[in-house]
Amino acid sequence: MIQSYKQKNNLKENYDAIIVGSGIGSLCTAALLSKEGKKVLVLERHYTAGGFTHVFKRKGYEWDVGIHYIGEVQNPNAPIRKMFDYISNNKLEWADMGEVYDKIIIGDKTYDFVKGVKNFKTKMYEYFPDDIDAIDKYVQLIFDCNKTMKKFYLEKALPTILSKLIGFFFRKNYLKYSSKTTYEVISSITENEDLIKVLTGQYGDYGLPPKQSSFAMHASVVKHYFNGGSFPIGGSSQIANTIDKVIESSQGTIVVNAEVKKIIIENNKAVGVEMIDGKKFHSDLIISGTGVFQTYNHLIPKDISVKHGFVNNLKKVTPSVAHGCLYLGLNGTSEELDLPKNNLWIYPKDIDHDTAVSNYLKDNDSDFPLVYISFASSKDPSWQSRYPNKSTIDIITLLPYESFMKWEGTKWMKRGNDYNDLKEKITNRLLDHLYKQLPHLKGKIDCHELSSPLTTKNFVNYDKGELYGIDHNPSRFNQKFLRPQTPIKGLYLTGQDIVSAGVGGALFSGLITSASITGIDFMKKIYK
Ligand SMILES: Cc1cc2nc3c(=O)[nH]c(=O)nc-3n(C[C@H](O)[C@H](O)[C@H](O)COP(=O)(O)OP(=O)(O)OC[C@H]3O[C@@H](n4cnc5c(N)ncnc54)[C@H](O)[C@@H]3O)c2cc1C
């Protein structure tokens, strides 16, 4: 059972591996190492485990923070599903969201993203009958790009020396796609800006609009959802809960309320961690799943970070955008409230995504560049037995960290009236969007709470409240330091910064980190 660091009285001083953070990358690494017989200690700073896959409970409701849908898990033979089965000992279950997974809403028009590549294409032909050729080319490009992805990421598991010698041959085909922006690639096959706007209508899944994002990231997200979306039965917390049992079966453990102050390094070798209360744990294998900014700016002594060029490397990447999420609790079941399972992506009309973002960053009172609405309680078949006669909705938008900087250093829930006033203003603007789509929900909301970038910073420890770790722009894919192995012996990285944002990307980071550490071909082992 996952317990608090202070309550857990049988912690040892030495472990085979210590993992900082309990995001899905860390949990996957912990499970894979545990299954190889290693005793693993996972230290999580938050009061609950899972990183962005955690849930929180308040006022008789439960909300999922960083999972709204996951692709491919509905297929028992899909690599991501096989990985989840392996690391949870087949205990994780998934509920399909149905035929339509995303609805892109631009002004008064709605475009359904439907399950199945053929169906997707047919729908797009209906919406854009003059662009059939471009739609075919687009889908082909999505597949072509994804075919080159596996080798690119496998290269990250190679020892650094080998990577320097032959790495380029693994990386070069993917780099052809990743070095271009999404807009560059799609605009080379169509001039229809409306079509481009719709095809990039899931850009919120990776945080950057088409003229800034790498096409490789766009392609991996689009393909990930081509066969629909699914939701963990029992909610996102099932991920940490099921994986915990696998870790415990090898005498390892996850502890929460356990903040690591620093990674102890002696003679260029990681030998343990020091907690904020001064207690030390020892291991010759330390893995950080907290993100590259957190690891290299805060967990490693400054002089070592400078010596190894980590500080310089961090100048080559940028933190991703921050967000706010309005968590709503409603009286009534999803059926009674007629809540859909699919997500809504709402965009302003007559303006492209990039201009909408740039206008909004200049003036936060201008239209939100995107509003995303997800109905978690309707996606989880176990919800009604867990929370009878209740429902939840999450509404997300971009909120720049800079707009909240003046409250840096204030305490959660005690940030002052002006902070609460700003949140109330944002809340009302987001509710207007909800009521425009689902007017019958007016008067049905029982409680609400808006998170801000400071909430993300407070709970998940990203300095700028980043939504997706580091930005997924073309230059990110050229950064060779984004790999598990570090120049410090025994220190490894895992998590979304090593592969990409998204539960699938972060999960896969666990596989390459574990392969890099042990030399085991986990792909063969899991996919056989
Ligand atoms: C609002 C939102 C919605 C999302 N929706 C989806 C979705 O629908 N589908 C999808 O696939 N993906 C989604 N994602 C993305 C996905 O959740 C993340 O990419 C993924 O979970 C990141 O995993 P990670 O392994 O990198 O670790 P993270 O989840 O980033 O966890 C890092 C952990 O490290 C801990 N930590 C940091 N510093 C310390 C320290 N010093 N000591 C101890 N612990 C520390 C943090 O508290 C945190 O728990 C969403 C993300 C967000 C924010």
Side-chain angles (χ1 to χ4, degrees):
M1 201 178 68
I2 301 173
Q3 277 183 312
S4 178
Y5 165 61
K6 291 269 182 249
Q7 286 166 346
K8 189 99 185 173
N9 48 23
N10 58 348
L11 289 175
K12 312 275 179 302
E13 282 191 3
N14 291 286
Y15 285 86
D16 295 330
I18 296 174
I19 306 191
V20 190
S22 68
I24 185 63
S26 296
L27 291 176
C28 177
T29 309
L32 293 178
L33 295 179
S34 300
K35 285 197 147 203
E36 296 305 315
K38 293 200 187 298
K39 192 167 63 174
V40 183
L41 174 64
V42 180
L43 297 164
E44 170 54 53
R45 172 184 175 275
H46 195 356
Y47 63 72
T48 180
F52 279 121
T53 69
H54 78 268
V55 302
F56 71 97
K57 298 179 187 187
R58 208 132 40 235
K59 297 180 181 160
Y61 293 88
E62 172 184 304
W63 290 276
D64 303 82
V65 173
I67 294 190
H68 301 282
Y69 60 152
I70 298 183
E72 298 166 291
V73 284
Q74 219 44 42
N75 171 3
N77 295 317
I80 173 170
R81 166 66 183 272
K82 283 192 168 275
M83 273 181 72
F84 269 126
D85 285 351
Y86 188 78
I87 63 173
S88 72
N89 280 347
N90 298 308
K91 290 289 187 294
L92 267 172
E93 294 178 301
W94 304 93
D96 195 323
M97 284 163 61
E99 290 311 301
V100 179
Y101 50 99
D102 280 325
K103 277 181 187 276
I104 312 297
I105 301 171
I106 302 172
D108 297 328
K109 287 195 180 151
T110 298
Y111 304 85
D112 288 351
F113 278 20
V114 293
K115 206 171 155 175
V117 183
K118 216 169 143 203
N119 302 335
F120 176 86
K121 286 211 268 187
T122 309
K123 260 284 176 233
M124 290 300 134
Y125 299 157
E126 275 172 31
Y127 299 134
F128 299 97
D130 297 333
D131 297 280
I132 291 179
D133 195 35
I135 293 164
D136 285 345
K137 281 190 184 143
Y138 167 77
V139 171
Q140 191 55 50
L141 272 168
I142 297 291
F143 281 107
D144 290 349
C145 172
N146 276 285
K147 267 188 211 136
T148 64
M149 184 167 79
K150 190 169 146 192
K151 259 184 153 176
F152 177 86
Y153 285 117
L154 284 184
E155 187 272 339
K156 288 178 186 267
L158 293 178
T160 309
I161 292 264
L162 215 54
S163 156
K164 281 188 179 148
L165 288 173
I166 56 167
F168 178 71
F169 297 100
F170 283 72
R171 295 158 50 86
K172 65 181 176 122
N173 289 338
Y174 196 60
L175 286 173
K176 279 185 204 150
Y177 298 97
S178 68
S179 58
K180 293 196 174 116
T181 66
T182 306
Y183 186 80
E184 273 177 284
V185 174
I186 308 182
S187 63
S188 73
I189 51 176
T190 177
E191 289 176 354
N192 186 340
E193 291 292 330
D194 291 338
L195 174 61
I196 296 176
K197 191 167 172 179
V198 172
L199 293 177
T200 54
Q202 298 161 309
Y203 86 80
D205 279 331
Y206 47 85
L208 278 181
K211 286 179 187 161
Q212 293 183 50
S213 58
S214 162
F215 177 71
M217 186 60 196
H218 171 80
S220 79
V221 167
V222 170
K223 179 176 170 279
H224 180 62
Y225 292 118
F226 261 158
N227 286 316
S230 297
F231 195 77
I233 298 179
S236 310
S237 58
Q238 286 307 309
I239 293 182
N241 290 339
T242 53
I243 295 173
D244 174 54
K245 296 196 172 58
V246 174
I247 299 169
E248 296 261 346
S249 68
S250 245
Q251 292 169 46
T253 191
I254 304 173
V255 280
V256 292
N257 288 316
E259 179 165 356
V260 172
K261 187 169 142 209
K262 64 176 189 194
I263 293 169
I264 307 166
I265 296 164
E266 289 169 3
N267 302 322
N268 203 39
K269 196 171 173 308
V271 293
V273 296
E274 185 180 325
M275 310 300 288
I276 49 167
D277 65 1
K279 189 169 171 47
K280 292 177 183 160
F281 293 102
H282 302 283
S283 175
D284 51 14
L285 189 53
I286 310 292
I287 301 141
S288 173
T290 64
V292 287
F293 279 109
Q294 185 58 225
T295 307
Y296 290 147
N297 276 337
H298 302 297
L299 294 177
I300 305 280
K302 184 80 193 267
D303 56 327
I304 296 182
S305 243
V306 171
K307 181 180 133 199
H308 284 296
F310 300 150
V311 172
N312 268 340
N313 281 337
L314 291 180
K315 291 183 186 143
K316 299 174 198 157
V317 288
T318 45
S320 67
V321 291
H323 80 293
C325 181
L326 180 62
Y327 298 97
L328 301 176
L330 297 92
N331 285 318
T333 65
S334 299
E335 288 75 26
E336 284 161 0
L337 296 167
D338 202 15
L339 302 182
K341 288 186 181 173
N342 56 260
N343 309 307
L344 309 181
W345 295 93
I346 304 162
Y347 295 103
K349 68 172 187 178
D350 303 328
I351 186 169
D352 65 84
H353 294 312
D354 285 85
T355 313
V357 171
S358 125
N359 288 352
Y360 172 75
L361 292 180
K362 279 183 219 137
D363 171 12
N364 294 175
D365 287 332
S366 65
D367 281 348
F368 289 128
L370 86 87
V371 173
Y372 171 80
I373 310 185
S374 162
F375 307 88
S377 60
S378 62
K379 298 175 192 177
D380 175 10
S382 79
W383 174 269
Q384 278 312 320
S385 61
R386 298 191 295 128
Y387 295 93
N389 303 315
K390 287 183 192 293
S391 296
T392 60
I393 300 178
D394 301 345
I395 312 181
I396 297 182
T397 196
L398 221 158
L399 293 181
Y401 184 77
E402 293 66 34
S403 312
F404 289 83
M405 256 162 77
K406 69 180 203 187
W407 294 284
E408 258 182 358
T410 57
K411 281 214 154 71
W412 179 60
M413 290 288 186
K414 289 181 188 146
R415 303 198 196 276
N417 289 341
D418 47 354
Y419 174 81
N420 292 337
D421 291 346
L422 175 60
K423 289 216 306 184
E424 196 57 25
K425 188 170 137 193
I426 297 166
T427 297
N428 290 331
R429 290 181 64 192
L430 291 173
L431 285 175
D432 285 346
H433 278 282
L434 175 73
Y435 296 145
K436 187 162 179 224
Q437 302 305 323
L438 302 167
H440 62 280
L441 295 182
K442 264 190 190 165
K444 301 276 167 61
I445 289 164
D446 177 35
C447 64
H448 66 80
E449 186 165 330
L450 181 78
S451 72
S452 81
L454 295 178
T455 321
T456 307
K457 180 176 171 145
N458 184 45
F459 288 117
V460 202
N461 217 16
Y462 284 91
D463 272 351
K464 303 281 175 225
E466 298 95 297
L467 169 61
Y468 292 132
I470 53 176
D471 267 334
H472 296 79
N473 51 22
S475 90
R476 171 205 175 117
F477 293 87
N478 266 317
Q479 304 310 327
K480 297 206 196 102
F481 79 99
L482 300 176
R483 54 190 301 111
Q485 209 177 10
T486 73
I488 297 166
K489 198 162 181 261
L491 176 65
Y492 289 81
L493 306 178
T494 195
Q496 59 188 353
D497 286 354
I498 301 310
V499 173
S500 74
V503 170
L507 176 80
F508 191 66
S509 76
L511 184 137
I512 61 169
T513 300
S514 308
S516 181
I517 292 168
T518 60
I520 294 172
D521 185 347
F522 282 103
M523 278 207 161
K524 206 167 160 192
K525 208 164 183 170
I526 297 170
Y527 303 157
K528 71 172 186 282

